[in-house]
Amino acid sequence: MKKTTVAVLGFLVATTGNAFASSTQWFEAQGGRVRLVTTGEPDAQGRLKGMLDIHLDKGWKTYWRDPGEAGVPPQLDSSTSTNVTAAELNFPAPQRHDDGYSVWAGYNSSVALPIVFHVGAPGKPVLINADVFLGICETICIPVHTKLSLDPASAADNAADAASVAAAFDALPKAAQPDFGVTIVSQDDKAILFEAKSPGDTSKAEFFLAGGEGYSFATPKLEQKDGKTLFSVEVLDRPAAKPADAGLHYTLVTDKGAVSGLLPYL
Protein backbone atom coordinates (compact mmCIF):
# COMPACT_ATOMS: atom_id res chain seq x y z
CA MET A 1 0.00 0.00 0.00
CA LYS A 2 1.23 3.44 -0.91
CA LYS A 3 0.12 6.86 0.13
CA THR A 4 -2.19 6.75 -2.87
CA THR A 5 -4.29 4.21 -1.00
CA VAL A 6 -6.57 7.06 -0.02
CA ALA A 7 -7.41 7.69 -3.65
CA VAL A 8 -10.79 6.46 -4.81
CA LEU A 9 -10.90 4.00 -7.67
CA GLY A 10 -14.65 3.64 -7.47
CA PHE A 11 -17.55 3.98 -5.06
CA LEU A 12 -19.44 0.71 -4.94
CA VAL A 13 -23.00 0.81 -3.66
CA ALA A 14 -25.60 -1.93 -3.71
CA THR A 15 -28.33 -3.48 -1.62
CA THR A 16 -27.93 -7.15 -0.76
CA GLY A 17 -30.47 -9.09 1.21
CA ASN A 18 -31.95 -12.46 1.94
CA ALA A 19 -35.23 -12.19 3.77
CA PHE A 20 -35.39 -15.93 4.53
CA ALA A 21 -31.99 -16.68 6.01
CA SER A 22 -29.87 -15.73 9.00
CA SER A 23 -27.19 -14.47 6.61
CA THR A 24 -27.23 -12.25 3.54
CA GLN A 25 -25.84 -13.06 0.16
CA TRP A 26 -22.27 -11.92 -0.54
CA PHE A 27 -21.81 -8.40 -1.88
CA GLU A 28 -19.01 -8.65 -4.43
CA ALA A 29 -16.42 -5.87 -4.80
CA GLN A 30 -13.04 -5.58 -6.46
CA GLY A 31 -10.57 -7.28 -4.13
CA GLY A 32 -13.11 -9.04 -1.95
CA ARG A 33 -16.67 -9.51 -0.79
CA VAL A 34 -18.75 -8.90 2.33
CA ARG A 35 -21.88 -10.32 3.94
CA LEU A 36 -23.82 -10.13 7.21
CA VAL A 37 -24.35 -13.25 9.35
CA THR A 38 -26.44 -13.69 12.53
CA THR A 39 -27.23 -16.41 15.04
CA GLY A 40 -30.94 -16.07 14.36
CA GLU A 41 -32.46 -15.24 17.76
CA PRO A 42 -31.62 -12.74 20.54
CA ASP A 43 -30.88 -13.91 24.08
CA ALA A 44 -33.00 -13.06 27.14
CA GLN A 45 -31.30 -9.67 27.42
CA GLY A 46 -32.18 -8.79 23.84
CA ARG A 47 -28.67 -9.25 22.45
CA LEU A 48 -28.51 -10.74 18.98
CA LYS A 49 -25.04 -11.79 17.89
CA GLY A 50 -23.80 -11.50 14.36
CA MET A 51 -20.74 -10.69 12.30
CA LEU A 52 -19.60 -8.70 9.31
CA ASP A 53 -17.86 -11.35 7.23
CA ILE A 54 -15.13 -9.81 5.05
CA HIS A 55 -13.44 -12.04 2.49
CA LEU A 56 -10.29 -10.56 0.96
CA ASP A 57 -8.58 -11.70 -2.22
CA LYS A 58 -4.87 -12.49 -1.98
CA GLY A 59 -2.81 -9.32 -1.57
CA TRP A 60 -5.75 -7.18 -0.43
CA LYS A 61 -6.18 -5.61 3.01
CA THR A 62 -8.73 -3.86 5.18
CA TYR A 63 -8.61 -1.71 8.30
CA TRP A 64 -9.01 -1.79 12.08
CA ARG A 65 -11.36 0.55 13.99
CA ASP A 66 -8.67 3.30 13.71
CA PRO A 67 -6.30 2.71 10.78
CA GLY A 68 -3.84 5.46 11.74
CA GLU A 69 -2.18 7.66 9.14
CA ALA A 70 -4.44 6.58 6.26
CA GLY A 71 -7.39 4.32 5.63
CA VAL A 72 -11.12 3.84 6.00
CA PRO A 73 -12.33 2.19 9.23
CA PRO A 74 -15.24 -0.25 8.87
CA GLN A 75 -18.58 1.28 9.78
CA LEU A 76 -22.06 -0.18 10.28
CA ASP A 77 -25.27 1.84 10.71
CA SER A 78 -28.37 -0.09 11.80
CA SER A 79 -30.61 2.94 12.45
CA THR A 80 -33.18 1.98 9.79
CA SER A 81 -33.65 -1.52 11.23
CA THR A 82 -36.89 -2.68 12.85
CA ASN A 83 -36.79 -3.42 16.60
CA VAL A 84 -33.02 -2.82 16.80
CA THR A 85 -31.90 -0.02 19.12
CA ALA A 86 -28.13 -0.24 18.56
CA ALA A 87 -25.35 -2.30 16.99
CA GLU A 88 -21.84 -2.68 18.44
CA LEU A 89 -19.07 -3.56 15.98
CA ASN A 90 -16.13 -5.43 17.55
CA PHE A 91 -12.62 -5.99 16.20
CA PRO A 92 -10.09 -8.83 16.48
CA ALA A 93 -6.48 -7.89 17.13
CA PRO A 94 -5.01 -6.04 14.13
CA GLN A 95 -1.51 -6.05 12.69
CA ARG A 96 0.79 -3.06 12.25
CA HIS A 97 1.68 -2.35 8.63
CA ASP A 98 4.42 -0.04 7.35
CA ASP A 99 4.42 0.25 3.56
CA GLY A 100 7.14 2.91 3.43
CA TYR A 101 4.59 5.67 2.85
CA SER A 102 2.29 5.30 5.85
CA VAL A 103 1.91 3.24 9.02
CA TRP A 104 -1.53 1.77 9.64
CA ALA A 105 -3.45 -0.84 11.61
CA GLY A 106 -5.54 -3.49 9.92
CA TYR A 107 -5.80 -6.97 8.45
CA ASN A 108 -3.99 -8.56 5.51
CA SER A 109 -6.31 -11.57 5.25
CA SER A 110 -10.02 -12.30 5.50
CA VAL A 111 -11.56 -11.25 8.81
CA ALA A 112 -14.88 -11.47 10.67
CA LEU A 113 -15.97 -8.47 12.75
CA PRO A 114 -18.38 -9.59 15.50
CA ILE A 115 -21.53 -7.51 16.04
CA VAL A 116 -23.95 -7.28 18.96
CA PHE A 117 -27.38 -6.04 17.86
CA HIS A 118 -29.55 -4.78 20.72
CA VAL A 119 -33.19 -5.76 20.24
CA GLY A 120 -35.67 -3.29 21.71
CA ALA A 121 -38.51 -5.76 22.33
CA PRO A 122 -37.40 -9.41 22.53
CA GLY A 123 -40.09 -11.72 21.18
CA LYS A 124 -41.24 -9.26 18.55
CA PRO A 125 -40.14 -9.34 14.89
CA VAL A 126 -36.67 -8.05 13.99
CA LEU A 127 -35.54 -6.83 10.60
CA ILE A 128 -31.91 -5.82 10.25
CA ASN A 129 -30.99 -3.16 7.71
CA ALA A 130 -27.24 -2.58 7.92
CA ASP A 131 -25.63 0.26 6.01
CA VAL A 132 -22.01 -0.90 5.68
CA PHE A 133 -19.00 1.16 4.66
CA LEU A 134 -15.39 -0.06 4.58
CA GLY A 135 -12.20 0.20 2.57
CA ILE A 136 -10.40 -2.70 0.92
CA CYS A 137 -7.00 -1.96 -0.54
CA GLU A 138 -4.23 -3.32 -2.69
CA THR A 139 -2.11 -0.50 -4.16
CA ILE A 140 -5.13 1.78 -4.03
CA CYS A 141 -8.10 1.88 -1.67
CA ILE A 142 -11.63 1.12 -2.84
CA PRO A 143 -14.44 2.44 -0.61
CA VAL A 144 -17.14 -0.22 -0.48
CA HIS A 145 -20.68 0.84 0.47
CA THR A 146 -23.50 -1.67 0.63
CA LYS A 147 -26.82 -2.16 2.40
CA LEU A 148 -27.31 -5.63 3.86
CA SER A 149 -30.79 -6.71 5.01
CA LEU A 150 -32.15 -9.85 6.62
CA ASP A 151 -34.80 -11.31 8.90
CA PRO A 152 -32.71 -13.29 11.41
CA ALA A 153 -35.64 -15.32 12.77
CA SER A 154 -36.42 -16.80 9.36
CA ALA A 155 -33.57 -19.30 9.75
CA ALA A 156 -32.98 -19.26 13.49
CA ASP A 157 -31.80 -22.88 13.53
CA ASN A 158 -29.01 -22.42 10.97
CA ALA A 159 -26.21 -24.25 12.78
CA ALA A 160 -23.50 -23.25 10.30
CA ASP A 161 -24.21 -19.53 10.70
CA ALA A 162 -24.36 -19.85 14.48
CA ALA A 163 -21.01 -21.67 14.53
CA SER A 164 -19.38 -19.02 12.33
CA VAL A 165 -20.59 -16.22 14.60
CA ALA A 166 -19.42 -18.09 17.72
CA ALA A 167 -15.97 -18.55 16.16
CA ALA A 168 -15.77 -14.83 15.38
CA PHE A 169 -16.51 -13.91 19.00
CA ASP A 170 -14.04 -16.52 20.27
CA ALA A 171 -11.32 -14.84 18.14
CA LEU A 172 -11.73 -11.47 19.86
CA PRO A 173 -9.06 -10.27 22.31
CA LYS A 174 -9.79 -11.12 25.92
CA ALA A 175 -10.77 -8.39 28.37
CA ALA A 176 -7.79 -6.54 29.84
CA GLN A 177 -6.78 -7.43 33.40
CA PRO A 178 -4.51 -5.71 35.97
CA ASP A 179 -1.63 -8.05 35.03
CA PHE A 180 -2.35 -7.96 31.29
CA GLY A 181 -3.27 -4.59 29.89
CA VAL A 182 -2.28 -0.94 29.68
CA THR A 183 -2.35 1.94 32.16
CA ILE A 184 -1.54 5.65 31.81
CA VAL A 185 1.75 6.68 33.44
CA SER A 186 1.79 10.37 32.53
CA GLN A 187 0.30 12.81 30.06
CA ASP A 188 0.33 16.37 28.85
CA ASP A 189 -1.17 18.25 25.91
CA LYS A 190 1.32 16.77 23.44
CA ALA A 191 1.90 13.17 24.48
CA ILE A 192 0.79 10.27 26.69
CA LEU A 193 3.01 7.63 28.27
CA PHE A 194 1.50 4.18 28.82
CA GLU A 195 2.82 1.14 30.67
CA ALA A 196 1.98 -2.28 29.26
CA LYS A 197 1.87 -5.40 31.43
CA SER A 198 1.70 -9.00 30.24
CA PRO A 199 2.47 -12.44 31.68
CA GLY A 200 4.66 -13.03 28.63
CA ASP A 201 7.48 -11.30 26.77
CA THR A 202 6.62 -7.64 26.07
CA SER A 203 9.80 -6.76 24.17
CA LYS A 204 7.95 -7.08 20.86
CA ALA A 205 4.50 -6.08 22.05
CA GLU A 206 2.20 -4.02 19.83
CA PHE A 207 -0.12 -1.37 21.25
CA PHE A 208 -3.05 -0.03 19.23
CA LEU A 209 -4.89 3.05 20.49
CA ALA A 210 -8.04 4.18 18.71
CA GLY A 211 -8.99 7.81 18.38
CA GLY A 212 -12.44 9.10 17.49
CA GLU A 213 -14.73 11.65 19.17
CA GLY A 214 -12.24 14.35 18.20
CA TYR A 215 -9.11 12.46 19.31
CA SER A 216 -6.27 11.55 16.97
CA PHE A 217 -3.00 9.82 17.87
CA ALA A 218 0.30 9.03 16.18
CA THR A 219 1.66 5.48 16.05
CA PRO A 220 2.73 4.34 19.57
CA LYS A 221 6.49 4.05 20.14
CA LEU A 222 7.79 1.15 22.22
CA GLU A 223 10.58 1.54 24.76
CA GLN A 224 11.95 -0.63 27.57
CA LYS A 225 12.98 1.31 30.68
CA ASP A 226 13.80 0.12 34.20
CA GLY A 227 12.31 -3.28 33.46
CA LYS A 228 9.05 -1.75 32.24
CA THR A 229 7.42 -1.81 28.81
CA LEU A 230 6.36 1.70 27.89
CA PHE A 231 4.59 3.19 24.89
CA SER A 232 4.76 6.89 24.13
CA VAL A 233 1.95 8.27 21.98
CA GLU A 234 1.88 11.71 20.41
CA VAL A 235 -1.49 13.46 20.66
CA LEU A 236 -2.29 14.90 17.23
CA ASP A 237 -5.70 16.31 18.11
CA ARG A 238 -8.22 16.32 20.95
CA PRO A 239 -11.67 17.83 21.53
CA ALA A 240 -12.23 20.96 23.57
CA ALA A 241 -14.27 18.97 26.11
CA LYS A 242 -14.16 15.32 27.15
CA PRO A 243 -16.87 13.18 25.49
CA ALA A 244 -19.56 11.69 27.67
CA ASP A 245 -19.37 8.08 26.43
CA ALA A 246 -17.21 5.15 27.51
CA GLY A 247 -13.60 5.96 26.62
CA LEU A 248 -10.73 5.18 24.25
CA HIS A 249 -10.51 1.67 22.85
CA TYR A 250 -7.13 -0.08 22.86
CA THR A 251 -5.68 -3.48 22.03
CA LEU A 252 -2.42 -4.90 23.36
CA VAL A 253 -0.83 -7.80 21.47
CA THR A 254 1.95 -9.96 22.97
CA ASP A 255 3.29 -13.49 22.65
CA LYS A 256 0.64 -14.55 25.19
CA GLY A 257 -2.23 -13.33 23.05
CA ALA A 258 -4.17 -10.10 22.88
CA VAL A 259 -6.37 -8.11 25.24
CA SER A 260 -8.59 -5.10 24.68
CA GLY A 261 -9.95 -2.47 27.02
CA LEU A 262 -11.07 1.10 27.52
CA LEU A 263 -8.97 4.01 28.76
CA PRO A 264 -10.54 7.15 30.25
CA TYR A 265 -10.78 10.16 27.99
CA LEU A 266 -7.83 12.48 28.51
Side-chain angles (χ1 to χ4, degrees):
M1 286 176 52
K2 300 181 180 180
K3 197 65 177 180
T4 52
T5 54
V6 297
V8 177
L9 177 65
F11 192 70
L12 305 177
V13 185
T15 300
T16 301
N18 191 343
F20 302 102
S22 51
S23 62
T24 67
Q25 297 174 349
W26 287 100
F27 171 67
E28 302 284 345
Q30 184 175 353
R33 54 184 179 168
V34 60
R35 66 172 180 160
L36 183 64
V37 183
T38 71
T39 54
E41 295 284 357
D43 62 17
Q45 289 73 44
R47 296 171 299 197
L48 172 61
K49 289 185 176 182
M51 69 179 190
L52 188 62
D53 197 5
I54 304 170
H55 175 85
L56 298 172
D57 294 343
K58 185 177 180 180
W60 288 74
K61 310 162 187 72
T62 194
Y63 297 105
W64 188 56
R65 65 168 72 242
D66 184 348
E69 295 180 13
V72 181
Q75 300 165 52
L76 184 145
D77 179 2
S78 64
S79 59
T80 62
S81 299
T82 300
N83 198 18
V84 174
T85 59
E88 300 171 8
L89 193 60
N90 298 276
F91 293 81
Q95 304 93 39
R96 185 83 65 200
H97 299 270
D98 184 347
D99 55 33
Y101 295 86
S102 62
V103 179
W104 54 278
Y107 311 96
N108 56 11
S109 60
S110 299
V111 62
L113 306 182
I115 310 166
V116 178
F117 294 99
H118 293 268
V119 175
K124 293 187 176 181
V126 174
L127 177 62
I128 296 175
N129 293 314
D131 194 315
V132 175
F133 184 77
L134 69 153
I136 57 175
C137 309
E138 191 183 34
T139 55
I140 58 173
C141 184
I142 300 174
V144 177
H145 183 197
T146 182
K147 296 181 180 180
L148 305 173
S149 299
L150 59 82
D151 173 4
S154 63
D157 58 351
N158 189 313
D161 284 349
S164 295
V165 171
F169 275 87
D170 287 344
L172 287 174
K174 305 302 181 184
Q177 302 294 327
D179 62 343
F180 195 174
V182 169
T183 56
I184 298 173
V185 176
S186 63
Q187 60 176 298
D188 56 33
D189 290 340
K190 296 182 178 180
I192 315 163
L193 185 65
F194 300 89
E195 181 181 356
K197 293 183 179 180
S198 168
D201 179 15
T202 55
S203 62
K204 295 182 180 180
E206 286 278 9
F207 174 48
F208 301 88
L209 179 63
E213 299 293 338
Y215 290 92
S216 179
F217 304 103
T219 302
K221 295 181 179 179
L222 170 67
E223 59 178 291
Q224 301 285 342
K225 185 176 181 181
D226 299 329
K228 297 180 179 180
T229 299
L230 304 174
F231 287 94
S232 60
V233 180
E234 181 184 359
V235 179
L236 302 177
D237 198 7
R238 71 171 74 207
K242 293 182 181 180
D245 56 358
L248 297 167
H249 290 271
Y250 79 85
T251 296
L252 176 67
V253 181
T254 75
D255 65 337
K256 292 297 184 180
V259 294
S260 288
L262 286 171
L263 293 164
Y265 284 118
L266 312 167

